[in-house]
Amino acid sequence: MVTKLEQSLVAAAEVGNMTKVNAIIDKLTQAQKEQITTEGYGLTLRYITEYTQTHPYNGANTIRNFMDKVGDYVDIRDIDVTLQTLSDFHNVKGVDAITDFLTAEQKEALSTWGDLGRTLTNLVEITEVDGDQAAAAVRDYMSKLGAYIGDTMAIDFALQTLSDFHNVKGVDAITDFLTAEQKEALSTWGDLGRTLTNLVEITEVDGDQAAAAVRDYMSKLGAYIGDTMAIDF
C-alpha cells in the first residue's frame, strides 16, 4: 500500500521541489522509512536525477542527502540507472553522492546486475574537456567500485581513451585499483599494448613525463602485455 507520505515524496521530486524532498527525507522515522515502497524510492531518485540535468549542483546535493538517509532502501536497478545517467551528464558530484553511500551488498549486486563499466567510460569522456577533473573522478570511482567492474572491454576502452589524450593521471587512476583477475582478463581480451604506445608518444613533448608514465604502467601491467610489436615500438 502506498502511503500519503510516499505520494508526497514522489510528487515533490517529480516537480523538482528539492526543498520539500529534503524536508521529508530529513524527518522520516525508521518506521516511516520502512513503509515507503522500493518503487517509491526508485521513482524519487530518478526524478531527482532528471532534475540534475538543469540544476546539477542542487540535484547532486539532494541525491547525497537521499542516499545518506534512505540509500539502503533503493533497488539496485535504480541505483545503476542513476549512476549511468549522472555520468552521462558528467555530473561528478552526483556520481560521488551515490558511490559514497553504497553498502558492500549493493556493490556486489551492481557487479552482477549493473553496468559499472558504462559509468566508468562516461566519466572517462570528461577528459576531452578537462583532464584533471576526469582523472579525479575516475580515481574516486575506481577506489570504491573498480574491483566490482567485470566488463574488461570497458576498462580497456577507458585506458586507451585516457592514454589517447595523454592523461597520465587518469591512466594511473585506473591501474592503481585493478585486481589480479582484471589484469589477467585484460591480458586476454584487452589491448594493453595500445595504451603503452599512447603513453610513449608523450615523449614527443615531455620525455621525463613519458618515462615516468611508462615506468608506472609497466610496473603494474607490463607482465600482462602480450603484444610484442607494441613493446618493440
Side-chain angles (χ1 to χ4, degrees):
M1 177 181 177
V2 178
T3 64
K4 289 184 178 180
L5 183 61
E6 179 175 331
Q7 291 174 341
S8 297
L9 178 62
V10 173
E14 185 176 12
V15 298
N17 189 340
M18 296 303 117
T19 299
K20 186 172 182 179
V21 169
N22 283 307
I24 293 173
I25 293 170
D26 287 343
K27 295 178 181 178
L28 289 176
T29 65
Q30 186 61 39
Q32 290 171 326
K33 290 179 182 179
E34 295 173 359
Q35 289 172 0
I36 296 175
T37 66
T38 301
E39 182 180 4
Y41 283 124
L43 281 172
T44 300
L45 181 57
R46 291 195 187 205
Y47 285 137
I48 300 171
T49 301
E50 290 176 5
Y51 175 82
T52 66
Q53 191 167 9
T54 53
H55 301 79
Y57 186 78
N58 190 33
N61 284 341
T62 303
I63 289 174
R64 176 167 291 279
N65 189 41
F66 179 88
M67 288 298 295
D68 181 28
K69 305 289 174 50
V70 296
D72 290 355
Y73 299 91
V74 184
D75 187 275
I76 203 65
R77 290 166 296 184
D78 292 308
I79 291 176
D80 184 48
V81 169
T82 300
L83 282 172
Q84 292 182 40
T85 304
L86 289 167
S87 58
D88 274 338
F89 296 156
H90 294 175
N91 191 327
V92 175
K93 290 183 180 295
V95 172
D96 187 53
I98 296 284
T99 56
D100 271 355
F101 298 99
L102 293 176
T103 65
E105 291 75 15
Q106 287 172 325
K107 291 178 181 179
E108 287 288 351
L110 280 169
S111 71
T112 302
W113 302 107
D115 190 354
L116 296 176
R118 177 177 169 184
T119 297
L120 173 63
T121 56
N122 286 342
L123 293 174
V124 165
E125 289 174 358
I126 299 172
T127 198
E128 298 177 16
V129 292
D130 191 329
D132 287 341
Q133 184 188 36
V138 169
R139 176 167 291 280
D140 183 76
Y141 184 73
M142 289 294 294
S143 71
K144 301 168 188 172
L145 289 171
Y148 298 89
I149 301 175
D151 184 354
T152 306
M153 298 302 291
I155 295 174
D156 186 50
F157 174 83
L159 285 170
Q160 290 184 38
T161 302
L162 289 165
S163 59
D164 273 340
F165 283 90
H166 296 175
N167 190 333
V168 175
K169 290 181 180 179
V171 172
D172 187 52
I174 292 180
T175 57
D176 271 355
F177 298 99
L178 293 176
T179 66
E181 292 75 13
Q182 288 169 329
K183 292 178 181 179
E184 288 288 351
L186 282 168
S187 71
T188 302
W189 302 106
D191 190 355
L192 296 176
R194 176 177 168 183
T195 297
L196 173 62
T197 56
N198 286 342
L199 293 174
V200 168
E201 289 173 358
I202 299 174
T203 198
E204 297 175 12
V205 292
D206 191 330
D208 289 341
Q209 184 188 36
V214 169
R215 176 173 290 279
D216 183 77
Y217 184 73
M218 291 297 290
S219 70
K220 302 168 187 171
L221 289 171
Y224 298 89
I225 301 174
D227 184 356
T228 308
M229 297 298 292
I231 296 174
D232 183 55
F233 174 85

